Structures are given as structure tokens and as C-alpha cells.
Amino acid sequence: MLLKKLAITTRTAVLLLANLSLLHSAALAQTIPSLRDTFKKDFGIGTALNNAQINETNPQTTAFIARQFNMATPENIMKSALIHPGWDTYDFEMADKLIAFGKKHDIKINGHTLIWHSQLPAFIRGIHSKDSIQTFFTNHIKTVASRYDGKVFSWDVVNEALNEDGTMRKSVFLQYLGDDFVTEAFRLAQQAAPKTELYYNDYNNEQPKKRAGCIDLIRKIKAAGVRIDGVGIQGHWHVGRIPLKDIEESILQYAALGVKVMFTELDIEVLPRNFQGADVGQRMTANAQSNPYPTALPDSVQTQLAADYEALFKLFLKHKDKITRVTFWGVNDGDSWLNNWPIRGRTSYPLLFDRKDQPKPAFYKVIATVK
């Protein structure tokens, strides 16, 4: 009997300590400034959400997200491979949960993405006719966009349709539907989602050649009398090499076309990489130098990361009349896709919060840009 009482007492003590720890963490989180509140007069502050976060598996994480962000983009669940896994089969379960999450926590949802050459349903590989690709293309946009019209505030209608030199990427859509597939995607989205903002999204489209191709796309869509509301610059950059002049010139040139500008997938890589951008098809081979900071980021790199984020947000605030949203690609460092790309298993540190949701020096530099 005594042993049983001791076991109950020990278990109670453990639960009490766990609850006290949660309360302590929650209290600390409330003392951290809020990004969404800090920039509420300037532009939206977003993050990418994974399935666990959408499912609210950790109440502390949920509260943290709701305090820091007022916009969110799903990492994967709205990509066609997941939301449209069979020719006549759609799976809306997680996307519907995301919409409910946004409504519950006063977070606007950006749909990502209707048309992308990557992460396509497996059945697409067996299709070899224009009519079939056209049917998939049309049905997918109409079905998904119409379901969430007015429930998502925006759609990345087409994602990454350009090569680095500004020419059209040789995707399955270009191959079978021709150069006008981007315009047609926006036309279909406009019909299916009249209450939703429509964006074109890409990486490196702040670079001059790719920017020129992006401008041509926007002009072509507009010339066809089709609605395009904005352009997303993903913002996958590398520490110490942020192309500030190109970014500013891009903001000005895109805004001059009458479209909104947003930074949609912001992170700053701190690990070695021999190329820039975010082409998921590119990979690197692991070696002794490829994961240089397995346990912690050196102070010198932490300082440079903070300086880079500070410079970026000063630029964003300079042009806040043209920028509507800045979305980080992940809540904290542990969520970042850069831990596994272009080399699996690396330890990356590209965001404002560490793996325990604690603010890094970069966070405070960003907060301090608002006077």
C-alpha cells in the first residue's frame, strides 16, 4: 500500500512539474514582442504551417503561432499530389482543418499552390495527351479554387513557371498546353474564386533576367484581360549575400505594373551551398564540410544573420506602401525545409526563432526596425 501511495505521489509530482514548466514557458512567451502586432500598421506577417501545427498537437506551439503571426501558408497539404491524389479523387481533410485553424486564431490563409510542375499526383506520369492534361488542369483549378473561395484570402495560382534566364520552364504544362497556360490558369482561378486574391509566385524573381520574364508574364496576363493581383518573391537567400539592390528594384518594377508585392517564403540559409534559389530538384552530396554547425550557430554567423534580417526589414518598411505580406517559411529553425535540402539531415538556422521557439538576435533586430 505504501509503495502504491508513493507511486501516486511521484506521478502527481511529475505532472505538477510538467504543468509548471508549461505555465513558465507560456509566461515567457507572453513577454516576447509579437511580430504581428509590431508590423500591424505595415504589412502582414506570415508563416508556413506543417500538419502537426495545423492539427494543434501542441497547445503551446499553437498559442505561440497565434501570438506571432496573422497569416499562414500550408507547407504541402494544398499541393496537387496531396489534395488531388486520384483522377476523380480529392482529399480536403487537412485543407479544411487549415481553414478552421485560420478562422479560430484570426490568421488569414494563403492557398499554396494550384499549378506547380513539382509534387504532382502520381497519375500524371501516365498521361501523354493534351486533352487529358487540359482536363486535369481545368478540373483541378475549378474544384479546389471554388471550394475555398472567400475562405483563403489569396492563391498562389501558378508557382515557379520560369527558368533562371526568364524563359518558360519546360514543365508538363508547357509541353502540352503551350505558352498561354499561365494566363489560362489565372482565367480559370478568376472564374472559380472571384473573392480571392490571385498571385504568381517564384524564387529568384528579384534577379534581373528572371524578373524580366516575370514582368512579361504579368503583362501577358493583364493584356488578356485576366486578373492578377500580386507577385510573390519567395526570398530564399543566403547569409551575407542578400541582393538588396535587386530586391528594391524588383519591388519598384512590379509595383509599377499595378500589382501587389509580397515576400512569400522568407528564410536565410547559413549552411554551405553552391547555388542559390529553391529548385527542389537540385541536390548536393554530403561531406565533412556540409554540416558545419551541428550543435549551435557561431556568434559571428548569428551576428551576420541578424544584420541581414535587419537590412531586409528596413527595406520592406521603406516600401511598405507596396508590400502586403512577409511570410517566413517555417515557425522556427527546427521546422525549416533547409534541414533536409539540398542535403538531408543537416542542422540549419535560417529563421527568427530557434528550435524551442525562443527569439534569436535576428528577431530583436527585426522588431527594432519599427520606430
Side-chain angles (χ1 to χ4, degrees):
M1 179 65 78
L2 180 59
L3 289 175
K4 187 175 181 179
K5 286 183 178 179
L6 285 172
I8 292 171
T9 303
T10 302
R11 193 181 310 122
T12 302
V14 169
L15 288 172
L16 179 61
L17 286 171
N19 287 333
L20 286 172
S21 178
L22 285 172
L23 288 171
H24 179 66
S25 297
L28 284 177
Q30 291 299 313
T31 67
I32 300 170
S34 164
L35 287 168
R36 65 182 286 170
D37 291 345
T38 299
F39 293 95
K40 64 183 177 182
K41 295 181 180 179
D42 306 309
F43 37 70
I45 295 290
T47 188
L49 297 180
N50 60 37
N51 284 18
Q53 291 159 346
I54 295 167
N55 280 320
E56 301 192 39
T57 56
N58 184 327
Q60 189 176 328
T61 298
T62 302
F64 179 80
I65 291 168
R67 175 169 167 75
Q68 291 295 333
F69 306 102
N70 53 19
M71 296 186 173
T73 303
E75 280 187 348
N76 288 300
I77 60 169
M78 285 183 161
K79 293 171 182 173
S80 60
L82 296 179
I83 207 167
H84 191 174
W87 183 261
D88 294 315
T89 304
Y90 292 86
D91 183 353
F92 296 118
E93 180 182 1
M94 285 304 301
D96 287 351
K97 285 184 177 181
L98 174 64
I99 300 304
F101 180 97
K103 187 175 182 179
K104 179 179 177 181
H105 299 292
D106 190 26
I107 292 174
K108 292 182 178 180
I109 303 299
N110 171 62
H112 178 76
T113 170
L114 289 172
I115 296 298
W116 187 31
H117 65 276
S118 188
Q119 287 185 249
L120 288 165
F123 67 82
I124 290 291
R125 291 194 294 270
I127 296 177
H128 302 289
S129 75
K130 177 180 177 179
D131 287 347
S132 294
I133 293 295
Q134 182 69 65
T135 298
F136 163 78
F137 180 87
T138 302
N139 290 348
H140 180 78
I141 294 173
K142 285 185 174 181
T143 302
V144 179
S146 63
R147 182 180 182 89
Y148 296 110
D149 184 33
K151 297 178 181 178
V152 299
F153 81 94
S154 65
W155 267 111
D156 293 331
V157 177
V158 177
N159 193 49
E160 301 174 3
L162 296 169
N163 293 315
E164 296 305 294
D165 63 359
T167 60
M168 296 292 289
R169 181 191 292 272
K170 292 181 180 179
S171 67
V172 64
F173 302 111
L174 181 69
Q175 178 184 351
Y176 287 101
L177 306 181
D179 289 348
D180 291 332
F181 85 86
V182 175
T183 299
E184 183 61 19
F186 276 85
R187 190 191 312 277
L188 291 167
Q190 173 183 286
Q191 295 167 358
K195 298 188 291 292
T196 303
E197 294 186 6
L198 308 178
Y199 303 154
Y200 174 76
N201 192 54
D202 215 326
Y203 61 85
N204 286 354
N205 54 337
E206 78 284 347
Q207 296 298 310
K209 289 183 179 179
K210 199 165 190 178
R211 180 204 306 146
C214 193
I215 287 171
D216 287 344
L217 270 184
I218 295 167
R219 285 175 172 161
K220 187 174 183 178
I221 294 165
K222 284 179 166 286
V226 176
R227 176 165 63 90
I228 176 171
D229 299 297
V231 59
I233 300 171
Q234 290 184 13
H236 296 294
W237 293 308
H238 203 285
V239 68
R241 302 204 300 267
I242 310 298
L244 294 170
K245 289 183 179 179
D246 289 328
I247 295 168
E248 182 166 33
E249 186 61 30
S250 297
I251 294 169
L252 295 172
Q253 290 195 29
Y254 289 137
L257 298 175
V259 296
K260 301 173 183 179
V261 180
M262 57 282 304
F263 293 86
T264 57
E265 303 182 16
L266 180 59
D267 50 31
I268 298 179
E269 173 74 274
V270 298
L271 303 179
R273 187 164 12 125
N274 55 18
F275 61 91
Q276 65 180 14
D279 185 345
V280 294
Q282 290 186 278
R283 294 285 174 180
M284 287 171 55
T285 302
N287 56 41
Q289 291 77 42
S290 64
N291 191 33
Y293 319 125
T295 57
L297 197 62
D299 289 345
S300 60
V301 184
Q302 194 83 267
T303 299
Q304 182 65 61
L305 182 69
D308 287 344
Y309 269 118
E310 179 183 29
L312 268 174
F313 271 80
K314 283 182 176 179
L315 180 59
F316 296 161
L317 287 169
K318 179 181 177 181
H319 295 290
K320 63 183 182 180
D321 59 320
K322 306 171 188 70
I323 296 169
T324 59
R325 169 168 63 99
V326 177
T327 292
F328 295 90
W329 205 244
V331 174
N332 70 33
D333 286 341
D335 301 320
S336 175
W337 71 305
L338 293 172
N339 293 296
N340 290 306
W341 179 89
I343 299 171
R344 294 195 66 81
R346 297 204 295 181
T347 307
S348 196
Y349 308 83
L351 298 169
L352 298 186
F353 298 101
D354 68 18
R355 284 163 168 77
K356 295 182 178 180
D357 290 333
Q358 293 304 299
K360 294 155 62 176
F363 171 85
Y364 290 107
K365 287 289 187 180
V366 165
I367 291 292
T369 59
V370 177
K371 305 301 182 185

